[in-house]
Amino acid sequence: MVNSKQLYFLCIGNACRSQMAEGFAKQLLPENWTIQSAGVETHGLNPNAVKVMAEVGIDISGQQSKLIEPTYLQQCDLVITLCGDARDRCPVTPASVQKLHWPLPDPAQATGTPAAQLAVFRQVRDEIKRRVLTLVPA
């Protein structure tokens, strides 16, 4: 029996980056991983995040914006923050919890036409996928 791993993606509002990361991780990581995402605040699931993930065959439309759950956080093997606010405001975790920080731009802050905004979402999505793939065991 392979040991299970518990992973938490944290972002400020749990609306875009952490939601996309959760979607990729659930698809790409082994089944023995428990994967969740949450935020310091809840901003709702961003429809552009849902749209760009659907473009790569991952449905995150059923996911919800959630606040950090302290008990789950304390039991994680790995916590990944996707923005400085989450890193700076993340509750203290035990020393046994490995922490990574992926400083990614917030696609929800993108300006311009809807097409330009979607382009930013796609760039961030693709970078998240690249980074999640680095977590896949060899």
Side-chain angles (χ1 to χ4, degrees):
M1 168 82 182
V2 177
N3 289 342
S4 63
K5 296 267 188 196
Q6 196 159 295
L7 171 60
Y8 220 172
F9 290 103
L10 302 179
C11 215
I12 192 68
N14 192 218
C16 304
R17 293 165 287 188
S18 53
Q19 293 284 358
M20 290 191 284
E22 178 182 347
F24 275 124
K26 285 180 173 175
Q27 182 190 59
L28 300 170
L29 295 176
E31 288 184 15
N32 64 317
W33 287 54
T34 303
I35 299 150
Q36 292 189 30
S37 67
V40 177
E41 304 163 2
T42 56
H43 294 174
L45 184 58
N46 187 297
N48 282 337
V50 174
K51 181 183 269 187
V52 300
M53 290 299 286
E55 291 173 357
V56 295
I58 299 175
D59 180 8
I60 63 168
S61 63
Q63 293 177 198
Q64 295 181 341
S65 184
K66 301 169 293 298
L67 289 174
I68 295 171
E69 172 27 67
T71 304
Y72 184 84
L73 178 70
Q74 299 298 319
Q75 297 168 349
C76 280
D77 296 287
L78 176 60
V79 172
I80 300 174
T81 52
L82 295 116
C83 66
D85 283 340
R87 180 193 59 206
D88 297 342
R89 295 170 58 187
C90 182
V92 174
T93 56
S96 61
V97 177
Q98 180 187 358
K99 294 178 208 69
L100 293 176
H101 179 59
W102 296 349
L104 300 170
D106 184 356
Q109 301 299 316
T111 58
T113 65
Q117 292 175 32
L118 278 175
V120 173
F121 270 86
R122 289 182 187 110
Q123 290 169 348
V124 172
R125 174 202 64 202
D126 294 347
E127 179 61 16
I128 289 170
K129 180 179 182 182
R130 188 186 70 72
R131 290 175 185 241
V132 168
L133 283 168
T134 69
L135 303 174
V136 176

